[in-house]
Amino acid sequence: MLKKTKIWGFDINITFVILYLVQVFINSGILLGYVSNYAFSKLPTNLGWRFMLGIGAIPSVFLALVVLGMPESPRWLVMQGRLGEARKVLDKTSDSKEESQQRLSDIKEAAGIPQDCNDDIVHVQKQSHGEGVWKELLIYPTPAVRHILICGIGIHFFQQASGIDAVVLYSPRIFEKAGITSSNDKLLATVAVGFTKTVFILVATFLLDRIGRRPLLLSSVGGMVLSLATLGFGLTMIDHSDEKLPWAVALSIAMVLAYVSFFSIGMGPITWVYSSEIFPLKLRAQGTSMGVAVNRVTSGVISTTFILLYKAITIGGSFFLFAGVAAVGWLFFYACLPETRGRTLEDMEVLFGSFFKWRSALKDEQRKEVSSAENGGQIQMGTKAQD
């Protein structure tokens, strides 16, 4: 079971809080970047752009210094035979001595170290570099692993292919195409995008475990499809009109904000939560790394080709294209991604493996559980009657 904590009266899984904090900090950084750009835009041009680029070095230097004080992962330390150091790290990061000992015991069992071996330094067999895991993941996967891999990679692909980086990175250009000509107004509108994105990522933290991954993801992507299509319509109307259309300008701005809101409340954070909890422990590092690689490659492609794209098919057409990609993503999520809220790793073998038939497989498993419980109840009653 995952540990929970109370935040403002809500039961929140600590694991998910940590995953969401990553998203919160990323979006807060984007927002601070927008705000600082707005502030530096008041400086002379020859100074402003230099400050805009150079200020990013400050948190980087701070992060580099903080990393020097970070301890190694206790699991990695155990794999290297450094039990004493692993024990110290676990003592610092656990709620109690008993929890620390239990976690160390679990790690030792997974590493094949005898439980009665408590020396600070122990000899361990050389571990492979994951060759067997890669074969199990890519060459000879079971139906369940294949299904999990496709879902893990697919959700990362559609997160970026639906155009979020195009909106975040090129929002001033989008607002310019929408008819906002003032540099000051474009920067203010961009700050509004960052603020909206950050606020809704916080809202999502309290909805994930209450609503579930699947309903929140489908609602989020459905809203993204609608807002992208409407944004494409508004920008197309502006592009084909000889005079300014205030209603289309307002509609385009509203749809940009709606899009980042829908993305932040579901698609953005759920991608990382979902892909982290579906892979078996043995395959988790390699499986999630493949998903992240697809995420970053897709992000790079979208970021570097967006200007070429909208010059080729117009700014409105590019967002119709993103809406189409998001719609395909919605169909993929609806057909292939089962709900994982409250499920253990053992349950994943039932949920995954049948692709489009996972619902019937889950119902069959539930019927077996009910039948088993009923049979157990009858046996127990019979035993009592004999007593």
Side-chain angles (χ1 to χ4, degrees), residues 185-225:
D185 291 343
K186 282 188 287 186
L187 285 169
L188 283 174
T190 302
V191 170
V193 171
F195 178 78
T196 303
K197 200 168 184 292
T198 304
V199 168
F200 277 90
I201 203 79
L202 290 169
V203 173
T205 306
F206 303 102
L207 296 179
L208 182 65
D209 262 2
R210 297 174 68 84
I211 296 177
R213 293 97 170 95
R214 184 178 161 84
L216 200 57
L217 179 63
L218 293 175
S219 301
S220 168
V221 178
M224 288 165 57
V225 172

Side-chain angles (χ1 to χ4, degrees), residues 318-345:
S318 62
F319 284 105
F320 281 128
L321 176 61
F322 289 142
V325 172
V328 174
W330 191 95
L331 293 174
F332 171 76
F333 300 147
Y334 180 81
C336 297
L337 269 66
E339 176 60 64
T340 58
R341 179 181 62 166
R343 296 288 178 178
T344 64
L345 284 175

Side-chain angles (χ1 to χ4, degrees), residues 305-315 318-319 321-322:
T305 61
F306 178 66
I307 293 179
L308 295 174
L309 178 67
Y310 81 66
K311 285 182 178 179
I313 62 174
T314 74
I315 188 76
S318 62
F319 284 105
L321 176 61
F322 289 142

Side-chain angles (χ1 to χ4, degrees), residues 60 68 77 131 167 173-174 183 189 202 236 245 268 308 319 324 347 363 377 383:
S60 301
L68 295 176
L77 289 170
E131 295 87 350
V167 173
R173 197 173 289 252
I174 295 169
S183 297
L202 290 169
T236 300
L245 302 175
L308 295 174
F319 284 105
D347 293 334
K363 288 179 180 177
T383 302

